[in-house]
Amino acid sequence: MEEARLTAAAGAEPAADKPPPFDEMVTGGGQIRPHWQPLMGALRTLPTGALAERMDRARRQYDENGVTYNVFAETRGPQRPWQFDLLPLPIPAEEWAEIEAALVKRATLLDRILADIYGPQSLIRDRLLPPALVHTNPAFLRPCHGVAPANGAPFLHFYAADIARGLDGRWRVCADRVNAPSGAGYALENRNVLMRTLPELFQSSTVRRLGPFFELWQAALAQLAPRHRENPRIVLLTPGPYSETYFEHVYLARQLGLTLAEGADLTVRDAKVFLKTLGGLQQVDVILRRLDDDYCDPVELRPESAIGVAGLVDAVRAGSVTLANALGAGVVETPAILPFLPGLAQRLLGEDLGMPSIETWWLGQRAVFDQVIERIEDYVFRPCFAGDGFEPAVVGSELEPGKRKAFVERLRARPHRYVAQARMHKSAMPVWSAGGLIPRPLMVRCFLVRHEGTYVPMPGGMTRVAADDSGLDVSMQRGGAAKDTWVIERELAPVVVGTRAQAAREPLRRSAGELQSRVADNLFWLGRYAERLDNAARLMRASLMRVPAGGASARELAEFQALARMLGDRGLVERTMGGLPDGRSMMEALGHACGSDQGISHLFQAIQRIAPTVRDRLSADMWNVVNDLLRDARLRLEAQPGDADRLLEGMDHTIGVCAAFHGMASENMTRGSGWRFLDLGRRLERAAHGASVVRDVFAASGHGSEPWLRLLLELCDSSITYRTRYMAAVQPAPVLDLLLCDDTNPRSVAFQLQLVAEHLDRLARRDVRPLSQPEQKIARAALTAVELFDVERVGSTIDRDAMALLDDLLGGTQGRLADLSEAITRAYFSHVETVQSIGYEVAPAREDGA
């Protein structure tokens, strides 16, 4: 039983130098609070060790789903596994109703403050808001002054608040998140994982669901559209895979049915925002912004931004697109505004806040500054503006005497840029550890979305617990963990879900036509790298099986040296390996290639670098193949670099993983543009590899003797096909026909070129480009050359003339394939041709409002 461990947290003693925090689970009398009792009762029914096992299961689930919080400053790698604790935070529905009401007030207040700051600025004129908090704030975007959201949309569409409970048991707002608040997607994923890992807990309590909130959010976004409100085109603007919360961007795009777009995917024409797709430019109505506002437009906001959309401010000014949240919303995130909110609430709402903020003093006021400095040890000091001053905070009581004087002088030089806050002793709740449950300070991030004129809260949120018991900064960046947040009902109330306006009837479609050029490029190279990895593993496996031992024949040594040269030519081992006759050097080279950033490890890295950029296009099962199986295959190869048997097992496993990926793509992806570019890259790579291997083997053997032909069949995975078709000895003509010209063999060059030509024909837009394009002509020329090759004549007499003809065909095919790759890049990815020639015309507005 877990009972002894579960009650350990209640008896934990606080540190001697600080008061005991408010205990979320246990009363001052040592009794478990009523709303915790069903939860703890369910936990006590678990057998000994069950919580540890469930925790491991949850970690595996997060890992399989690819849930990460990226921290790029860490040396251990940017993708930090998501830290999650199984024990949720339950909050009674009555208490939650008070939290909701207060946060709705606060969101409404902040929206009205933003409308004034970017409008008449009467709050500054009437001295309710110090001008320094606006005009010296880097988050105040001057080009956006006088620009109101289109169609009467709010400045603040989505709002998050970090709240914590103090020693007195009251909740306080510690921070307002309005720029691009994160966490809602993680909260939903936390709930899903907990329901799967510990379903017993949900049987003991009536917990409000989170799903309806996201349905309402989807409807609310549609209402923001300045046009096409029935079926608007909405995109989620992300900084890309190097964002800390990129997983959530992908997750929300799927959950809300949005197109995930980076800045390079969008363009502004005539003060309108368009999504660049292979089917043309498609006008965007709403942008859910997950990019900090000052990075959104390099023309009018931050010139050095490479992730924004040039001209976006002009489009917002014209009212052709709505951003959620509005550009410049981050100006009210400053903690310096907190002491002025009560007065602003009375002015703008005619009532108090409902929930106080953490006690804060802005040092830009002389009397406040002098009072704070006299008792510096009582406060925590923070900068007013992001990226300004010290990070994350300075605790006055922890300053050494020598540093205190220098710190005071620093504050005195620029007092208006700092705030002092009371040291808040946040409430604590149990956190699972190997030794049982231990108390940790917590903070809850709550989320609200604007819908039909008011703000609707998520019935729950994302609770975060600190990594230690200080509780100064509760953050995932600083090693904290996330928890699910429950709103406990006595009886489950009916759920009201926001509804969208009656949508106009959509015409039936077999293709979305919305594949961004960047996504097409990445899918193309994902297909190429996956096939290149498969080819490399087969080549390295063949080399390992032929590492010469004592008594190796001259032919065996020749095969080995040919394979070594092939490995060197493909960058899988050092090129100098081609002249080494001994197996020990080969083993060292192969082991180094598996354990370093070169060779086959480079291919793993390339796939793992590209895959996140197209994650929204991959099913969960395909993502698991890329994220889990490929990583496992790489770890297997790196584990035993000097063990030939283990390396062979690793190569076999890698080949199997590649087959699984291609199989998933074949069975799970619709035959749209995304699948075609993925398969196009794969086929182009396989054709180039086939031509290269045939050319290398015949160049090494000189005449195509049977042992060399068997090696060639092995490298091209066609041994069984040959054996079932030809019962006689292995001969050059049948081998060349099977590997080059046989369009029924899925490994032949002709088979790949036929599919390449078919893909290019289907991708070409005949309405814009009625004539055959360069990439189509090159593909057809390469296919025709292979089809017309007289394989019987060349294969029957392997002499100098025949070898010259074969080399001309293979060399010419390799050259055409290289030209074809460049032509595809020019036509679909780089867009160096004219707008008309590549099909980049503005898609006409649809009469049905879609």
Side-chain angles (χ1 to χ4, degrees), residues 16-238:
D17 59 343
K18 65 180 182 178
F22 182 95
D23 195 314
E24 294 287 342
M25 184 177 77
V26 181
T27 67
Q31 300 297 314
I32 294 179
R33 300 184 188 277
H35 58 282
W36 276 83
Q37 290 175 7
L39 174 63
M40 302 308 293
L43 287 174
R44 288 193 178 100
T45 63
L46 299 176
T48 301
L51 269 181
E53 187 273 332
R54 301 295 180 91
M55 194 69 194
D56 290 339
R57 193 188 304 177
R59 290 193 186 100
R60 288 195 300 271
Q61 184 67 37
Y62 280 113
D63 192 49
E64 290 171 4
N65 293 347
V67 184
T68 58
Y69 184 84
N70 302 334
V71 182
F72 293 94
E74 292 194 345
T75 57
R76 60 176 172 170
Q79 290 196 335
R80 177 193 290 177
W82 184 247
Q83 301 299 314
F84 178 69
D85 188 77
L86 284 178
L87 198 62
L89 171 67
I91 300 176
E94 298 80 6
E95 183 179 4
W96 184 256
E98 297 177 3
I99 295 174
E100 284 186 334
L103 293 182
V104 168
K105 280 186 190 179
R106 195 177 187 96
T108 304
L109 174 63
L110 293 176
D111 180 64
R112 294 184 182 180
I113 293 173
L114 286 169
D116 183 81
I117 288 176
Y118 286 100
Q121 296 191 346
S122 60
L123 299 176
I124 296 176
R125 186 172 57 251
D126 296 341
R127 299 186 178 183
L128 293 172
L129 187 64
L133 299 187
V134 175
H135 298 306
T136 65
N137 189 339
F140 174 63
L141 305 183
R142 285 172 174 78
C144 297
H145 185 257
V147 179
N151 202 37
F155 280 83
L156 189 59
H157 167 76
F158 185 68
Y159 167 65
D162 290 334
I163 66 173
R165 197 197 301 265
L167 294 174
D168 58 0
R170 295 187 64 190
W171 290 99
R172 288 176 171 81
V173 176
C174 298
D176 299 294
R177 306 297 182 187
V178 300
N179 198 348
S182 63
Y186 288 109
L188 183 59
E189 179 68 2
N190 290 340
R191 174 66 58 84
N192 292 336
V193 170
L194 186 60
M195 291 182 68
R196 180 170 175 175
T197 307
L198 273 172
E200 300 93 336
L201 302 187
F202 292 87
Q203 297 169 7
S204 66
S205 303
T206 305
V207 184
R208 286 191 192 172
R209 295 170 50 226
L210 301 183
F213 174 81
F214 291 88
E215 297 174 25
L216 182 140
W217 193 359
Q218 187 178 39
L221 284 169
Q223 293 179 352
L224 296 178
R227 63 177 201 113
H228 293 168
R229 298 191 68 173
E230 297 85 5
N231 295 300
R233 181 167 288 108
I234 309 174
V235 303
L236 189 152
L237 179 59
T238 173

Side-chain angles (χ1 to χ4, degrees), residues 327-349:
L327 293 175
V331 69
V332 297
E333 280 194 348
T334 172
I337 203 174
L338 297 181
F340 303 98
L341 289 183
L344 294 172
Q346 290 294 334
R347 168 69 175 269
L348 298 176
L349 303 180

Side-chain angles (χ1 to χ4, degrees), residues 577-590:
M577 282 299 304
L580 295 177
D582 63 292
R584 176 177 297 180
S585 298
M586 172 61 87
M587 284 301 305
E588 292 177 355
L590 290 175

Side-chain angles (χ1 to χ4, degrees), residues 722-729:
Y722 187 93
R723 189 167 61 246
T724 56
R725 190 176 294 182
Y726 303 101
M727 304 303 293

Side-chain angles (χ1 to χ4, degrees), residues 213-215 217-218 221 236 251-258 288 500:
F213 174 81
F214 291 88
E215 297 174 25
W217 193 359
Q218 187 178 39
L221 284 169
L236 189 152
Y251 190 87
L252 284 178
R254 285 182 173 175
Q255 194 70 30
L256 300 175
L258 311 180
L288 179 59
R500 294 173 61 167

Side-chain angles (χ1 to χ4, degrees), residues 44 126 431 444 831:
R44 288 193 178 100
D126 296 341
V431 174
V444 182
H831 309 302

